Amino acid sequence: MKRSLFLVLTLLLNFVTAFAQPGSDVEMADKLRVSGMIYVVVITVAIVFIGLAVYLFSIDRRLKKIEKDN
Amino acid sequence: MKFIYQTWWKVLAVVLIFYTLIAGFLIGVPRLPILHETIRNTYFHVPMWIAMFTVFTISVIYSIKYLQTGKEEYDLLAVECANTGLFFFVIGLVTGMLWAKYAWGAYWSNDPKQNSAAIAFLLYCAYMVLRNSIDEEQKRGKISAIYNIFAFPIMVVLIMVLPRLTDSLHPGNGGNPAFGKLDLDNRMRIVLYPAFIAWSLMSVWIATIRYRIRLIEYKKNSID
């Protein structure tokens, strides 16, 4: 399990490289990112997902208990 | 089958999705006209389909195993994987429609990709209808397993092959590999590929939870 985790992570690191940026005239949410407001959205999404993940884990645990009783 | 009771891959799924949620918003993306920031939808729309393919594949594998062994558990797992696959199918379609509204101009433009995806959806709805219409356990298991084995390759052809043979607005179709070398750069790959793995694991997790509940129900019913 540890070895496969390591393998996955090293494989994913293959894609990290440097970039030139063409097309800088295309409109993007640059200002949003500069002013820092995008972080609010990112944190909100993160909180929502953490909540969902905790909820899923608790369902999993409850199910394990029921399976033991059966 | 011990795998489904282990925790490590569930943690891996959560950690990887968490990473894609953060990195998907903050890491840079290619600057493209029409798409603008909606290119980030790739991180969330495409993994839904990958997750769907994962659980549908597992469903077929267990349908075949059921036909080989006749073990009721395999049949239950096949159904719950198909159920979870349908859930991700709907989310994939809806997110695709929303994106299409802003990139193509309409929610539904009768694009070959959209139409064949809708047909494939009906194909799997028919699987559920067929299954639920048969009362006798073994008959139901066998017929629905065989249907599932035939439905899967047709679904793959409908979604992956046929739209590519004609002109389509969707990237990767009509000889237009839009999200290929040019648009999908490595900054996107370090988010997109973990998202594929993570959402696949997530869909498997949900499917196994459904399967475990169904197994308890099944055991209770057979005792009564």
Side-chain angles (χ1 to χ4, degrees):
Chain A
M1 167 207 148
K2 254 186 197 158
R3 225 187 300 156
S4 54
L5 239 162
F6 180 72
L7 188 72
V8 167
L9 287 177
T10 42
L11 280 176
L12 291 173
L13 276 176
N14 278 337
F15 303 108
V16 185
T17 38
F19 286 97
Q21 290 196 352
S24 53
D25 52 328
V26 177
E27 195 183 324
M28 297 296 247
D30 291 326
K31 271 192 196 125
L32 197 69
R33 215 161 272 106
V34 168
S35 68
M37 294 304 268
I38 189 72
Y39 294 103
V40 183
V41 184
V42 174
I43 293 165
T44 311
V45 171
I47 291 169
V48 169
F49 180 68
I50 289 173
L52 274 177
V54 170
Y55 191 50
L56 257 177
F57 273 116
S58 79
I59 290 173
D60 205 273
R61 241 209 330 267
R62 254 172 79 181
L63 195 54
K64 239 174 217 170
K65 254 185 213 160
I66 295 171
E67 278 166 342
K68 253 184 203 161
D69 291 341
N70 269 23
Chain B
M1 293 294 266
K2 223 179 158 187
F3 176 77
I4 66 171
Y5 297 100
Q6 288 169 347
T7 311
W8 67 271
W9 58 277
K10 297 164 188 171
V11 176
L12 182 69
V14 168
V15 169
L16 282 181
I17 292 178
F18 191 72
Y19 156 73
T20 60
L21 291 179
I22 308 282
F25 281 108
L26 299 182
I27 289 183
V29 288
R31 285 165 176 272
L32 298 171
I34 302 171
L35 284 175
H36 302 277
E37 293 282 356
T38 66
I39 196 169
R40 292 180 195 278
N41 270 353
T42 317
Y43 302 141
F44 308 107
H45 164 70
V46 186
M48 295 302 117
W49 294 98
I50 302 292
M52 180 209 75
F53 275 117
T54 307
V55 277
F56 276 168
T57 309
I58 296 170
S59 176
V60 172
I61 292 169
Y62 277 91
S63 279
I64 295 169
K65 273 192 165 181
Y66 172 73
L67 289 178
Q68 282 174 337
T69 60
K71 264 191 182 172
E72 196 62 33
E73 286 91 338
Y74 292 160
D75 183 46
L76 299 180
L77 185 55
V79 188
E80 287 306 350
C81 279
N83 268 329
T84 315
L86 268 178
F87 173 76
F88 281 95
F89 205 127
V90 172
I91 301 213
L93 262 184
V94 172
T95 53
M97 279 169 70
L98 181 73
W99 197 0
K101 172 72 183 161
Y102 295 98
W104 306 345
Y107 290 112
W108 200 272
S109 40
N110 281 328
D111 185 78
K113 191 84 160 185
Q114 289 180 321
N115 279 347
S116 52
I119 297 167
F121 180 71
L122 293 180
L123 196 66
Y124 271 89
C125 288
Y127 169 71
M128 294 302 161
V129 173
L130 175 74
R131 209 193 141 75
N132 293 327
S133 64
I134 305 171
D135 284 332
E136 211 259 301
E137 212 168 72
Q138 283 185 341
K139 208 173 173 185
R140 178 176 61 207
K142 269 182 195 159
I143 291 175
S144 61
I146 291 165
Y147 181 93
N148 193 18
I149 293 166
F150 279 101
F152 181 74
I154 297 171
M155 183 272 295
V156 172
V157 167
L158 275 170
I159 294 179
M160 303 298 281
V161 182
L162 284 182
R164 274 163 209 244
L165 298 177
T166 54
D167 278 331
S168 168
L169 293 161
H170 196 281
N173 297 326
N176 161 38
F179 278 20
K181 282 170 202 150
L182 267 175
D183 309 350
L184 188 65
D185 67 12
N186 282 359
R187 284 174 303 173
M188 291 193 75
R189 287 202 177 89
I190 57 169
V191 181
L192 188 60
Y193 295 158
F196 286 170
I197 300 169
W199 284 101
S200 293
L201 288 175
M202 183 58 100
S203 65
V204 173
W205 186 8
I206 294 169
T208 57
I209 285 179
R210 293 189 61 115
Y211 161 70
R212 284 156 67 186
I213 293 172
R214 198 159 182 130
L215 196 63
I216 292 169
E217 285 170 351
Y218 170 72
K219 278 180 183 160
K220 259 208 178 124
N221 285 341
S222 49
I223 292 166
D224 293 340

Short mmCIF file of all heavy atoms in Angstrom, two decimals, chain B residues 59-60 63-64 67 82 119-131 134 139-155 158:
data_model
loop_
_atom_site.label_atom_id
_atom_site.label_comp_id
_atom_site.label_asym_id
_atom_site.label_seq_id
_atom_site.Cartn_x
_atom_site.Cartn_y
_atom_site.Cartn_z
N SER B 59 -19.02 -2.97 -12.40
CA SER B 59 -20.33 -3.60 -12.50
C SER B 59 -20.31 -4.75 -13.50
O SER B 59 -20.82 -5.85 -13.22
CB SER B 59 -21.36 -2.54 -12.91
OG SER B 59 -22.62 -3.13 -13.11
N VAL B 60 -19.70 -4.52 -14.67
CA VAL B 60 -19.64 -5.58 -15.69
C VAL B 60 -18.79 -6.76 -15.20
O VAL B 60 -19.17 -7.92 -15.37
CB VAL B 60 -19.07 -5.02 -17.01
CG1 VAL B 60 -18.81 -6.15 -17.99
CG2 VAL B 60 -20.02 -4.04 -17.61
N SER B 63 -20.83 -8.71 -12.93
CA SER B 63 -21.90 -9.41 -13.65
C SER B 63 -21.35 -10.70 -14.26
O SER B 63 -21.99 -11.75 -14.19
CB SER B 63 -22.47 -8.52 -14.75
OG SER B 63 -23.41 -7.62 -14.22
N ILE B 64 -20.15 -10.60 -14.84
CA ILE B 64 -19.52 -11.80 -15.42
C ILE B 64 -19.22 -12.81 -14.32
O ILE B 64 -19.50 -14.00 -14.45
CB ILE B 64 -18.22 -11.41 -16.16
CG1 ILE B 64 -18.55 -10.53 -17.37
CG2 ILE B 64 -17.46 -12.65 -16.60
CD1 ILE B 64 -17.34 -9.88 -18.02
N LEU B 67 -22.31 -14.62 -13.30
CA LEU B 67 -22.72 -15.67 -14.24
C LEU B 67 -21.83 -16.90 -14.09
O LEU B 67 -22.26 -18.03 -14.30
CB LEU B 67 -22.66 -15.15 -15.67
CG LEU B 67 -23.75 -14.14 -16.05
CD1 LEU B 67 -23.57 -13.67 -17.47
CD2 LEU B 67 -25.13 -14.73 -15.86
N ALA B 82 -23.79 -0.10 -10.77
CA ALA B 82 -24.54 0.53 -11.86
C ALA B 82 -25.36 1.70 -11.34
O ALA B 82 -25.43 2.75 -11.99
CB ALA B 82 -25.45 -0.49 -12.54
N ILE B 119 -28.76 8.83 -24.95
CA ILE B 119 -29.19 7.47 -25.32
C ILE B 119 -28.56 6.45 -24.37
O ILE B 119 -29.22 5.53 -23.89
CB ILE B 119 -28.82 7.16 -26.78
CG1 ILE B 119 -29.56 8.11 -27.73
CG2 ILE B 119 -29.16 5.71 -27.13
CD1 ILE B 119 -29.03 8.08 -29.16
N ALA B 120 -27.27 6.64 -24.09
CA ALA B 120 -26.58 5.72 -23.17
C ALA B 120 -27.21 5.75 -21.79
O ALA B 120 -27.30 4.73 -21.10
CB ALA B 120 -25.10 6.08 -23.09
N PHE B 121 -27.69 6.95 -21.39
CA PHE B 121 -28.36 7.07 -20.09
C PHE B 121 -29.63 6.22 -20.07
O PHE B 121 -29.89 5.48 -19.12
CB PHE B 121 -28.68 8.54 -19.82
CG PHE B 121 -29.38 8.78 -18.51
CD1 PHE B 121 -28.69 8.63 -17.32
CD2 PHE B 121 -30.71 9.14 -18.46
CE1 PHE B 121 -29.32 8.83 -16.11
CE2 PHE B 121 -31.34 9.34 -17.25
CZ PHE B 121 -30.64 9.19 -16.08
N LEU B 122 -30.40 6.32 -21.16
CA LEU B 122 -31.63 5.53 -21.26
C LEU B 122 -31.33 4.04 -21.24
O LEU B 122 -32.07 3.24 -20.68
CB LEU B 122 -32.40 5.89 -22.54
CG LEU B 122 -32.98 7.31 -22.58
CD1 LEU B 122 -33.70 7.53 -23.89
CD2 LEU B 122 -33.94 7.51 -21.42
N LEU B 123 -30.20 3.68 -21.86
CA LEU B 123 -29.78 2.28 -21.91
C LEU B 123 -29.63 1.71 -20.49
O LEU B 123 -30.07 0.60 -20.20
CB LEU B 123 -28.43 2.23 -22.64
CG LEU B 123 -27.91 0.91 -23.17
CD1 LEU B 123 -28.80 0.42 -24.27
CD2 LEU B 123 -26.50 1.11 -23.69
N TYR B 124 -29.04 2.52 -19.62
CA TYR B 124 -28.84 2.06 -18.25
C TYR B 124 -30.11 2.19 -17.42
O TYR B 124 -30.31 1.42 -16.47
CB TYR B 124 -27.66 2.79 -17.60
CG TYR B 124 -26.38 2.05 -17.87
CD1 TYR B 124 -25.63 2.30 -19.00
CD2 TYR B 124 -25.95 1.04 -17.01
CE1 TYR B 124 -24.48 1.58 -19.27
CE2 TYR B 124 -24.82 0.32 -17.27
CZ TYR B 124 -24.07 0.59 -18.40
OH TYR B 124 -22.95 -0.12 -18.66
N CYS B 125 -30.98 3.15 -17.77
CA CYS B 125 -32.27 3.21 -17.10
C CYS B 125 -33.06 1.93 -17.41
O CYS B 125 -33.72 1.36 -16.54
CB CYS B 125 -33.07 4.42 -17.58
SG CYS B 125 -32.43 5.97 -16.96
N ALA B 126 -32.94 1.48 -18.67
CA ALA B 126 -33.63 0.25 -19.07
C ALA B 126 -33.12 -0.94 -18.25
O ALA B 126 -33.88 -1.85 -17.92
CB ALA B 126 -33.42 0.00 -20.56
N TYR B 127 -31.84 -0.91 -17.92
CA TYR B 127 -31.25 -1.97 -17.09
C TYR B 127 -31.97 -2.03 -15.74
O TYR B 127 -32.34 -3.10 -15.26
CB TYR B 127 -29.76 -1.69 -16.91
CG TYR B 127 -29.07 -2.53 -15.87
CD1 TYR B 127 -28.83 -3.89 -16.06
CD2 TYR B 127 -28.63 -1.96 -14.67
CE1 TYR B 127 -28.19 -4.65 -15.10
CE2 TYR B 127 -27.97 -2.72 -13.72
CZ TYR B 127 -27.76 -4.06 -13.94
OH TYR B 127 -27.13 -4.80 -12.99
N MET B 128 -32.19 -0.85 -15.14
CA MET B 128 -32.86 -0.80 -13.84
C MET B 128 -34.31 -1.27 -13.96
O MET B 128 -34.80 -2.01 -13.12
CB MET B 128 -32.84 0.64 -13.30
CG MET B 128 -31.45 1.12 -12.97
SD MET B 128 -30.65 0.05 -11.77
CE MET B 128 -28.95 0.48 -12.04
N VAL B 129 -34.98 -0.82 -15.03
CA VAL B 129 -36.39 -1.20 -15.22
C VAL B 129 -36.49 -2.72 -15.40
O VAL B 129 -37.31 -3.39 -14.77
CB VAL B 129 -37.00 -0.48 -16.44
CG1 VAL B 129 -38.39 -1.01 -16.74
CG2 VAL B 129 -37.04 1.01 -16.20
N LEU B 130 -35.63 -3.25 -16.26
CA LEU B 130 -35.61 -4.69 -16.52
C LEU B 130 -35.41 -5.47 -15.23
O LEU B 130 -36.12 -6.42 -14.92
CB LEU B 130 -34.48 -5.01 -17.51
CG LEU B 130 -34.24 -6.49 -17.80
CD1 LEU B 130 -35.34 -7.03 -18.68
CD2 LEU B 130 -32.89 -6.70 -18.47
N ARG B 131 -34.45 -5.03 -14.44
CA ARG B 131 -34.10 -5.69 -13.21
C ARG B 131 -35.25 -5.70 -12.21
O ARG B 131 -35.57 -6.71 -11.60
CB ARG B 131 -32.92 -4.95 -12.60
CG ARG B 131 -32.04 -5.81 -11.80
CD ARG B 131 -31.10 -5.07 -10.98
NE ARG B 131 -31.06 -5.79 -9.75
CZ ARG B 131 -30.42 -6.94 -9.62
NH1 ARG B 131 -29.73 -7.42 -10.61
NH2 ARG B 131 -30.47 -7.59 -8.50
N ILE B 134 -38.48 -8.16 -12.61
CA ILE B 134 -38.44 -9.61 -12.44
C ILE B 134 -38.38 -9.95 -10.95
O ILE B 134 -37.53 -9.44 -10.23
CB ILE B 134 -37.21 -10.22 -13.16
CG1 ILE B 134 -37.20 -9.80 -14.64
CG2 ILE B 134 -37.21 -11.73 -13.04
CD1 ILE B 134 -35.93 -10.14 -15.36
N LYS B 139 -33.44 -15.67 -11.80
CA LYS B 139 -33.77 -15.22 -13.14
C LYS B 139 -33.38 -13.75 -13.30
O LYS B 139 -32.77 -13.35 -14.29
CB LYS B 139 -35.29 -15.38 -13.33
CG LYS B 139 -35.73 -15.59 -14.76
CD LYS B 139 -37.21 -15.90 -14.71
CE LYS B 139 -37.83 -15.97 -16.06
NZ LYS B 139 -39.28 -16.16 -15.96
N ARG B 140 -33.75 -12.96 -12.28
CA ARG B 140 -33.44 -11.54 -12.29
C ARG B 140 -31.93 -11.34 -12.39
O ARG B 140 -31.45 -10.55 -13.21
CB ARG B 140 -33.96 -10.89 -11.01
CG ARG B 140 -33.64 -9.41 -10.92
CD ARG B 140 -34.25 -8.80 -9.68
NE ARG B 140 -33.73 -9.43 -8.48
CZ ARG B 140 -34.39 -9.52 -7.33
NH1 ARG B 140 -35.59 -9.03 -7.22
NH2 ARG B 140 -33.85 -10.11 -6.29
N GLY B 141 -31.18 -12.06 -11.58
CA GLY B 141 -29.73 -11.93 -11.59
C GLY B 141 -29.14 -12.25 -12.95
O GLY B 141 -28.34 -11.48 -13.49
N LYS B 142 -29.57 -13.37 -13.52
CA LYS B 142 -28.98 -13.80 -14.79
C LYS B 142 -29.32 -12.86 -15.92
O LYS B 142 -28.44 -12.42 -16.68
CB LYS B 142 -29.48 -15.21 -15.14
CG LYS B 142 -28.55 -16.28 -14.58
CD LYS B 142 -29.03 -17.66 -14.97
CE LYS B 142 -28.35 -18.70 -14.11
NZ LYS B 142 -29.09 -19.95 -14.07
N ILE B 143 -30.62 -12.53 -16.05
CA ILE B 143 -31.04 -11.68 -17.18
C ILE B 143 -30.39 -10.31 -17.09
O ILE B 143 -29.86 -9.79 -18.07
CB ILE B 143 -32.58 -11.57 -17.23
CG1 ILE B 143 -33.17 -12.92 -17.62
CG2 ILE B 143 -33.02 -10.50 -18.22
CD1 ILE B 143 -34.67 -12.97 -17.59
N SER B 144 -30.39 -9.73 -15.87
CA SER B 144 -29.82 -8.38 -15.77
C SER B 144 -28.31 -8.41 -15.94
O SER B 144 -27.73 -7.45 -16.47
CB SER B 144 -30.22 -7.72 -14.45
OG SER B 144 -29.73 -8.45 -13.36
N ALA B 145 -27.65 -9.50 -15.53
CA ALA B 145 -26.21 -9.60 -15.74
C ALA B 145 -25.88 -9.63 -17.23
O ALA B 145 -24.97 -8.94 -17.70
CB ALA B 145 -25.65 -10.84 -15.05
N ILE B 146 -26.66 -10.41 -17.97
CA ILE B 146 -26.41 -10.51 -19.41
C ILE B 146 -26.69 -9.16 -20.09
O ILE B 146 -25.90 -8.69 -20.91
CB ILE B 146 -27.28 -11.63 -20.04
CG1 ILE B 146 -26.78 -12.98 -19.54
CG2 ILE B 146 -27.24 -11.57 -21.55
CD1 ILE B 146 -27.73 -14.12 -19.77
N TYR B 147 -27.80 -8.54 -19.69
CA TYR B 147 -28.10 -7.21 -20.25
C TYR B 147 -26.96 -6.24 -19.98
O TYR B 147 -26.51 -5.50 -20.86
CB TYR B 147 -29.40 -6.67 -19.66
CG TYR B 147 -29.78 -5.31 -20.22
CD1 TYR B 147 -30.62 -5.21 -21.31
CD2 TYR B 147 -29.27 -4.13 -19.67
CE1 TYR B 147 -30.96 -3.98 -21.85
CE2 TYR B 147 -29.60 -2.89 -20.20
CZ TYR B 147 -30.44 -2.83 -21.28
OH TYR B 147 -30.76 -1.61 -21.81
N ASN B 148 -26.45 -6.26 -18.75
CA ASN B 148 -25.37 -5.36 -18.34
C ASN B 148 -24.13 -5.56 -19.21
O ASN B 148 -23.50 -4.60 -19.66
CB ASN B 148 -25.04 -5.62 -16.87
CG ASN B 148 -24.18 -4.53 -16.28
OD1 ASN B 148 -24.08 -3.44 -16.83
ND2 ASN B 148 -23.55 -4.83 -15.17
N ILE B 149 -23.80 -6.82 -19.47
CA ILE B 149 -22.61 -7.13 -20.28
C ILE B 149 -22.76 -6.60 -21.70
O ILE B 149 -21.80 -6.13 -22.30
CB ILE B 149 -22.35 -8.65 -20.28
CG1 ILE B 149 -21.94 -9.10 -18.87
CG2 ILE B 149 -21.27 -9.02 -21.28
CD1 ILE B 149 -21.99 -10.59 -18.67
N PHE B 150 -23.99 -6.63 -22.23
CA PHE B 150 -24.20 -6.08 -23.58
C PHE B 150 -24.29 -4.56 -23.56
O PHE B 150 -23.85 -3.89 -24.49
CB PHE B 150 -25.48 -6.67 -24.21
CG PHE B 150 -25.26 -8.02 -24.80
CD1 PHE B 150 -25.64 -9.17 -24.13
CD2 PHE B 150 -24.63 -8.14 -26.03
CE1 PHE B 150 -25.41 -10.42 -24.68
CE2 PHE B 150 -24.40 -9.39 -26.59
CZ PHE B 150 -24.79 -10.53 -25.90
N ALA B 151 -24.89 -4.00 -22.49
CA ALA B 151 -25.09 -2.55 -22.44
C ALA B 151 -23.76 -1.81 -22.33
O ALA B 151 -23.59 -0.74 -22.92
CB ALA B 151 -25.98 -2.19 -21.25
N PHE B 152 -22.81 -2.37 -21.61
CA PHE B 152 -21.56 -1.66 -21.36
C PHE B 152 -20.79 -1.30 -22.63
O PHE B 152 -20.47 -0.11 -22.84
CB PHE B 152 -20.68 -2.46 -20.40
CG PHE B 152 -19.38 -1.78 -20.08
CD1 PHE B 152 -19.34 -0.68 -19.24
CD2 PHE B 152 -18.19 -2.22 -20.63
CE1 PHE B 152 -18.15 -0.04 -18.94
CE2 PHE B 152 -16.99 -1.58 -20.35
CZ PHE B 152 -16.98 -0.49 -19.51
N PRO B 153 -20.48 -2.25 -23.52
CA PRO B 153 -19.76 -1.86 -24.74
C PRO B 153 -20.55 -0.90 -25.62
O PRO B 153 -19.96 -0.02 -26.25
CB PRO B 153 -19.51 -3.19 -25.47
CG PRO B 153 -20.41 -4.17 -24.83
CD PRO B 153 -20.68 -3.71 -23.45
N ILE B 154 -21.90 -1.04 -25.63
CA ILE B 154 -22.70 -0.12 -26.44
C ILE B 154 -22.58 1.30 -25.86
O ILE B 154 -22.45 2.28 -26.60
CB ILE B 154 -24.17 -0.58 -26.47
CG1 ILE B 154 -24.27 -1.95 -27.15
CG2 ILE B 154 -25.03 0.43 -27.21
CD1 ILE B 154 -25.61 -2.60 -27.05
N MET B 155 -22.59 1.38 -24.51
CA MET B 155 -22.44 2.68 -23.85
C MET B 155 -21.09 3.30 -24.20
O MET B 155 -21.01 4.50 -24.52
CB MET B 155 -22.58 2.48 -22.33
CG MET B 155 -22.53 3.73 -21.49
SD MET B 155 -20.88 4.21 -21.00
CE MET B 155 -20.40 2.85 -19.95
N LEU B 158 -21.22 4.53 -27.75
CA LEU B 158 -22.06 5.73 -27.86
C LEU B 158 -21.36 6.98 -27.36
O LEU B 158 -21.44 8.05 -27.96
CB LEU B 158 -23.36 5.52 -27.07
CG LEU B 158 -24.48 4.79 -27.79
CD1 LEU B 158 -25.60 4.45 -26.83
CD2 LEU B 158 -25.03 5.65 -28.91
#
